Amino acid sequence: MKRNDDPNFIVRLEKAIKEKYGEEAIQNPKKYWNRDKEESHQEDIKQFYKRKFFKETQNSKEKYKGFLVSKKLLNRENKRDCPVCKQYSFSVRDDLYMLKFECCFNCYIQHIEYREERWATGWRPPQEKK
């Protein structure tokens, strides 16, 4: 006997599922859904796609001058101007001092060396007027 021929097939199928898995297995899922669960679900979806987008952009590569380079490197701002002396620096050594003290190596030697506490409190040399 085919299931299309039997009008009570669905009823017997639900009864068998209920006996094997319990009453909740045959209930309509909308019965337990409410506005709070919907809002929570929508927020979870937003967070999921934010994380997914962040991971994709973090790991994506772009062709730049014949090479594949991470987009993260291409979008990074380059801080090469010393805020103290206004000089532009190509030195790799200056990168360390720019990150730690926000000045170039020469300004570190002239104004900060042995006076790190004063620099950390916010003291800066007076700007010379040109």
Side-chain angles (χ1 to χ4, degrees), residues 7-19:
N8 294 325
F9 175 75
I10 302 271
V11 174
R12 284 189 286 120
L13 182 64
E14 281 186 358
K15 186 176 179 182
I17 291 172
K18 179 181 173 183
E19 288 174 4

Side-chain angles (χ1 to χ4, degrees), residues 13 87 97 125:
L13 182 64
Q87 294 291 320
Y97 294 98

Side-chain angles (χ1 to χ4, degrees), residues 72-88:
K72 188 169 69 172
L73 293 174
L74 292 175
N75 295 336
R76 183 170 44 171
E77 285 187 25
N78 217 351
K79 294 183 179 180
R80 289 294 202 186
D81 291 336
C82 176
V84 178
C85 67
K86 309 293 187 225
Q87 294 291 320
Y88 189 82

Side-chain angles (χ1 to χ4, degrees), residues 37-48:
K37 285 186 179 181
E38 179 67 26
E39 290 173 2
S40 173
H41 177 68
Q42 291 298 326
E43 187 61 33
D44 290 344
I45 289 174
K46 286 178 187 176
Q47 293 299 322
F48 170 77

Side-chain angles (χ1 to χ4, degrees), residues 12 18-19 23 29 34 36 44 58 71 104 116 127:
R12 284 189 286 120
K18 179 181 173 183
E19 288 174 4
E23 182 69 30
N34 58 31
D36 294 334
D44 290 344
Q58 187 177 23
K71 281 187 178 181
C104 65
E116 284 92 359
Q127 297 292 325

